[in-house]
Amino acid sequence: LAFGTWIDISELVYSARGVVFGAGYTDMSIILPLKKLMVWVYFLEAILILFLIRSISFKAPYLLIVFIIFMKFVGLGILPNIIQNYVVAPNELGKERAYIEKNISFTREAYQLTNVNALEFPATADLTNKDLEENKITIDNIRLWNQEPLKQTFSQLQEIRLYYEFGQVDVDRYRINNQMQQVMLSPRELDSSQLTQQAQTWINQHLVYTHGYGLCMTPVNKVTRDGLPEFYIKDLPPVQNINLPITRPEIYFGEKSTDYVIVNTDQDEFDYPKGDTNIYTHYKGKGGINIGSTFRQLIFSFKYSDFKIFLTSLINNDSRIIYDRSIKLIPKKIAPFIAFDRDPYLIVSDEGRMVWMQDGYTFSSRFPYSEPIKGNINYIRNSVKVTIDAYDGTTTFYISDINDPIIKTYQKIYPNLFQPIENMPTSLREHVRYPKDMFTIQAMMYSTYHMQDPQ
């Protein structure tokens, strides 16, 4: 008990008793001295109890037990509430000023608000043609499209078949015609549940309709004469009018890829429709696990409670089963100790591959004096960037904040998991962005903690 109380003293920096999070006037003036006293009281009681070995009637241990109970319920229970309500509350600023200052300082550090530069932008009405010419890149990238209406337009113009579905529309930037251009894009994923009822057979859902295909991309600032988006990339197979070829348009790993599929079987895979006919293919990637042996087929039959895997004659020695295909699930399974942004986004690399990018966060509830948010989290860093290849599922974790002590610790625990962000291919690094969830949390905290005056 003495040792536990001594350890418990450090917990005062996480106190929620005062006007702000962290140790306050009552904690430091009343609870801290009493806890230090109780460390010695417990230690003394431990020694006195030994005397009972020789004399069970020795009274000192019993008297000290009464004192300990009194201190627990009165000294550490009732007294702090009295002091907080009748001494601190009437003179809160005077009593708590030093602790409020610590709360402001530590909270700003915990949420990376210490390097914010405040600038004034006076509102003027004297915009000139010269201003427009000097800021041509900005003017040319003013968004005309909203994401939800654009997604509906993509669906009406470019889904082409009922079983295709566009995911969330992302905003990104690409160098087009030697100029940075803001674009909006969305992958064309496959949802086998939208096949007609007659077509929803086991072979179709797991062996034939295995992947989505391609994407749509449009500049944010252009419309056609009909009021429709002007496409940079569209159709099946992808047709593009910019220098951004798509060499691997197949999407085996995506936001809507939830069920397992078996590839390289004796059954051709549907690739994409072409007029009244279909184009078929076979998987050439390294994703998934070989399922050619009878034993493995039996194992996966038990895993999915689906004995068609074991009974089908279409699986051969080269067949592979691909599961856990959701890009939101993959990083969580690999690194469950990291929180991930809710909005992964798609990138087209210079090699023509489609790659998902997702932001990862290290977090803690043990940052002294920092105000908690979203439950008990009071420290967060965007320390990780994750890339997932849409074709073969290759997943790579990059460290984006080398100053974060938590990610440094994880890197020592898992030395083969994390790579420095300098190792990320340049064509992917150009699309790294500031994550939405991080910005939302910082904005929420900054709405109060832009003020540094404790009053």
Side-chain angles (χ1 to χ4, degrees), residues 264-279:
N264 291 345
T265 65
D266 294 336
Q267 171 68 53
D268 291 335
E269 291 179 58
F270 169 78
D271 203 21
Y272 61 89
K274 188 175 183 180
D276 294 331
T277 62
N278 293 329
I279 304 299

Side-chain angles (χ1 to χ4, degrees), residues 405-431:
I406 296 179
I407 200 62
K408 285 182 179 179
T409 304
Y410 286 144
Q411 187 180 27
K412 291 177 181 177
I413 299 171
Y414 305 103
N416 298 321
L417 177 59
F418 299 100
Q419 297 187 31
I421 199 167
E422 290 76 17
N423 290 358
M424 184 185 289
T426 304
S427 64
L428 299 182
R429 284 191 68 182
E430 290 176 347
H431 299 276

Side-chain angles (χ1 to χ4, degrees), residues 7-275:
I7 292 292
D8 194 48
I9 288 174
S10 61
E11 295 287 317
L12 291 176
V13 294
Y14 309 117
S15 171
R17 179 179 285 103
V19 64
V20 292
F21 189 81
Y25 177 86
T26 303
D27 298 301
M28 300 303 290
S29 301
I30 304 299
I31 295 179
L32 178 60
L34 289 180
K35 280 186 176 290
K36 288 181 177 179
L37 173 63
M38 291 302 293
V39 171
W40 292 106
V41 170
Y42 281 130
F43 184 70
L44 177 61
E45 176 68 3
I47 294 174
L48 292 177
I49 284 175
L50 296 177
F51 286 91
L52 296 178
I53 297 173
R54 299 190 62 180
S55 175
I56 195 69
S57 61
F58 184 54
K59 295 181 179 180
Y62 303 110
L63 294 175
L64 201 54
I65 281 289
V66 173
F67 178 74
I68 288 172
I69 294 172
F70 175 81
M71 289 297 296
K72 287 283 287 182
F73 287 98
V74 178
L76 293 174
I78 298 174
L79 182 60
N81 292 329
I82 294 174
I83 298 297
Q84 184 68 34
N85 291 323
Y86 297 102
V87 177
V88 177
N91 188 24
E92 205 160 44
L93 184 61
K95 299 291 186 183
E96 301 278 27
R97 174 182 288 272
Y99 309 107
I100 296 174
E101 289 175 348
K102 288 183 179 181
N103 173 264
I104 292 172
S105 174
F106 279 78
T107 300
R108 289 170 64 88
E109 177 66 30
Y111 295 97
Q112 286 189 309
L113 302 177
T114 55
N115 296 324
V116 176
N117 294 324
L119 301 175
E120 289 191 9
F121 290 89
T124 60
D126 55 353
L127 191 66
T128 65
N129 286 330
K130 184 180 178 182
D131 294 327
L132 299 179
E133 289 297 325
E134 290 178 349
N135 296 276
K136 191 173 187 307
I137 293 179
T138 302
I139 300 300
D140 288 346
N141 282 278
I142 294 176
R143 266 174 60 183
L144 302 179
W145 295 102
N146 200 4
Q147 286 163 299
E148 283 304 314
L150 184 61
K151 179 182 175 181
Q152 295 176 13
T153 304
F154 281 174
S155 298
Q156 292 168 2
L157 300 178
Q158 284 288 308
E159 278 190 357
I160 300 174
R161 294 290 188 272
L162 289 174
Y163 40 78
Y164 285 128
E165 186 174 346
F166 283 100
Q168 182 172 332
V169 176
D170 293 311
V171 181
D172 206 340
R173 55 189 183 271
Y174 287 82
R175 188 166 293 279
I176 297 171
N177 298 326
N178 295 321
Q179 191 171 12
M180 197 61 77
Q181 173 67 53
Q182 189 172 199
V183 301
M184 303 180 81
L185 68 157
S186 181
R188 186 187 291 104
E189 296 199 55
L190 186 140
D191 184 358
S192 61
S193 66
Q194 296 190 33
L195 291 168
T196 61
Q197 192 65 36
Q198 297 91 333
Q200 288 189 22
T201 63
W202 182 85
I203 291 178
N204 276 346
Q205 290 183 314
H206 298 286
L207 275 63
V208 177
Y209 293 92
T210 57
H211 59 275
Y213 202 91
L215 75 157
C216 282
M217 179 187 291
T218 180
V220 299
N221 62 323
K222 294 181 180 180
V223 295
T224 66
R225 291 180 179 179
D226 300 323
L228 299 174
E230 180 179 302
F231 288 104
Y232 280 162
I233 301 175
K234 63 178 181 177
D235 293 345
L236 295 167
V239 175
Q240 48 91 20
N241 56 16
I242 56 175
N243 188 24
L244 194 65
I246 311 294
T247 59
R248 272 293 169 209
E250 302 93 337
I251 304 173
Y252 284 86
F253 297 83
E255 292 184 276
K256 300 182 181 299
S257 305
T258 56
D259 210 348
Y260 74 88
V261 294
I262 304 175
V263 298
N264 291 345
T265 65
D266 294 336
Q267 171 68 53
D268 291 335
E269 291 179 58
F270 169 78
D271 203 21
Y272 61 89
K274 188 175 183 180

Side-chain angles (χ1 to χ4, degrees), residues 250-255 257 323-334 340-341 344-349 353-359 385-398 424-425 428:
E250 302 93 337
I251 304 173
Y252 284 86
F253 297 83
E255 292 184 276
S257 305
Y323 58 100
D324 289 346
R325 301 191 295 139
S326 168
I327 59 167
K328 292 186 177 181
L329 176 65
I330 293 169
K332 290 180 181 178
K333 282 204 150 188
I334 296 174
F340 293 96
D341 198 271
Y345 56 99
L346 189 70
I347 301 168
V348 180
S349 71
R353 298 186 76 91
M354 298 167 65
V355 180
W356 296 95
M357 179 85 75
Q358 189 158 15
D359 288 277
K385 305 285 184 180
V386 184
T387 60
I388 304 173
D389 190 285
Y391 186 69
D392 61 24
T394 299
T395 304
T396 310
F397 287 72
Y398 298 96
M424 184 185 289
L428 299 182

